[in-house]
Amino acid sequence: MVSTPVEIPSDFEFMSWFTFTLLAVVVFSAYSIFIRIFLADRGDAQTFALLLNASMAVFLLGVLAPLTGLRADLSVGTVVWVGIASCFYALASTLITWARQLEEASKVSVTRQTGAIWVFAGGIFVLDERLTIGKIIGTTLVVLGTILATWDQEGIRPSKGLMMILAGVFIGSASSLIGKTVVETSLSPALYAGSRALIAAMLLTIFLPDVRTRARQEISLQQLRIPAVGLLLGLNFFLLYKALEIGDASSVRPVFGSATILTVAAAILFLGERDRILQKIIGAAFVVAGVVLFRMI
């Protein structure tokens, strides 16, 4: 197996995993609010996902990767795993972007945290990690919090948007498991996230029907909104993977989970998502507590 290690020093070595994670929380919450504003009741969510990935790839590979340091071990195994992760991510990003168009930002934010369950299931059954009481209790709290936040007078309605979130999160969790390993061993965070976004955009270009016409129409409608949210999401991935590169996942993920509370609060304040406010806040708190428990105990 031929390997080509390349490394360029980074100017961000003075920052801790905690700083990177807090910045990721703020950036991701802002992204969640803005994409809901831009997509609510208008636009083509599937094409938006393609353009979002393309703009994110340009930002990560063209700006952040050279500025923050390059590390690349281009073995055959790395290329294969990045390709697999990109396939998962292409589908997951399309489903979740579409769901953001259909569902409230607060509901999407809470439901997304169910991904932590799948990541831990993968760790236990695939990576042979230890099953603990904290993980069992934490999983229960995440499920209860998600049910509480999405429950209305008619109970939990299996809406199209909700099912898309759950499916996207499940598929995206596989990409996350691969990504953590690749960032730790082979590629720098910006290089990995940018490469994954670029391949995802290429795949969507191939498989979406009538993509040229749809892309022209979406660009005409959204204009600078697409690169704006692409910058936010790209910066979020860089910050999060940078935190995972220098810190333990068991420490990084609970802090990043606080983005749920921040997004729910921002959605209530700025998007007018004020129905069942107390229920949403309590549900979000359950989810965050669950994430902390099964990552810390």
Side-chain angles (χ1 to χ4, degrees):
M1 182 180 295
V2 179
S3 177
T4 309
V6 177
E7 187 163 355
I8 298 177
S10 168
D11 295 326
F12 291 80
E13 299 302 327
F14 66 93
M15 295 176 66
S16 68
W17 68 265
F18 186 74
T19 304
F20 279 117
T21 309
L22 284 183
L23 290 173
V25 166
V26 175
V27 170
F28 187 75
S29 297
Y31 161 77
S32 299
I33 298 302
F34 281 118
I35 195 172
R36 173 61 179 170
I37 293 173
F38 296 159
L39 278 178
D41 302 320
R42 65 176 179 181
D44 180 345
Q46 297 172 42
T47 308
F48 192 98
L50 186 162
L51 298 170
L52 175 63
N53 280 312
S55 61
M56 182 168 60
V58 170
F59 173 63
L60 285 165
L61 296 177
V63 180
L64 270 185
L67 288 178
T68 59
L70 295 174
R71 174 174 54 84
D73 180 6
L74 301 178
S75 65
V76 174
T78 298
V79 173
V80 170
W81 282 117
V82 171
I84 294 172
S86 300
C87 292
F88 288 143
Y89 179 71
L91 182 54
S93 65
T94 302
L95 289 170
I96 294 176
T97 301
W98 200 349
R100 289 184 183 281
Q101 184 179 45
L102 300 174
E103 299 288 351
E104 294 180 338
S106 54
K107 184 180 293 186
V108 174
S109 180
V110 172
T111 309
R112 279 188 71 259
Q113 293 301 318
T114 57
I117 298 172
W118 303 119
V119 170
F120 272 102
I124 292 168
F125 295 108
V126 178
L127 303 180
D128 199 28
E129 294 180 353
R130 188 167 59 94
L131 178 63
T132 66
I133 295 297
K135 291 177 181 179
I136 295 173
I137 298 175
T139 299
T140 304
L141 287 175
V142 169
V143 172
L144 290 176
T146 302
I147 291 173
L148 182 61
T150 55
W151 189 280
D152 59 23
Q153 293 179 348
E154 299 178 6
I156 297 178
R157 293 173 296 174
S159 65
K160 182 178 180 180
L162 183 60
M163 298 308 294
M164 284 181 178
I165 301 168
L166 292 172
V169 166
F170 176 74
I171 297 167
S173 297
S175 181
S176 296
L177 283 171
I178 296 171
K180 174 169 171 52
T181 302
V182 171
V183 166
E184 286 180 342
T185 60
S186 304
L187 299 180
S188 55
L191 185 57
Y192 168 73
S195 300
R196 186 182 66 170
L198 178 61
I199 297 171
M202 293 170 62
L203 290 170
L204 291 173
T205 301
I206 294 170
F207 290 106
L208 285 182
D210 197 18
V211 68
R212 290 185 179 181
T213 301
R214 294 169 67 180
R216 283 196 298 268
Q217 292 173 345
E218 193 66 16
I219 291 171
S220 176
L221 174 67
Q222 301 290 357
Q223 299 180 359
L224 294 178
R225 297 182 184 95
I226 295 170
V229 293
L231 185 150
L232 287 173
L233 187 58
L235 184 58
N236 164 75
F237 278 126
F238 163 73
L239 292 168
L240 184 58
Y241 279 118
K242 190 66 180 176
L244 289 170
E245 180 187 33
I246 61 179
D248 296 332
S250 59
S251 300
V252 172
R253 291 294 183 175
V255 178
F256 186 69
S258 62
T260 300
I261 293 289
L262 186 58
T263 301
V264 169
I268 292 170
L269 290 174
F270 301 117
L271 299 182
E273 297 180 4
R274 295 187 173 89
D275 61 309
R276 301 175 289 111
I277 291 179
L278 183 60
Q279 187 175 326
K280 289 178 180 177
I281 293 175
I282 295 174
F286 269 47
V287 167
V288 172
V291 172
V292 172
L293 270 177
F294 61 58
R295 293 185 188 279
M296 298 293 288
I297 300 179

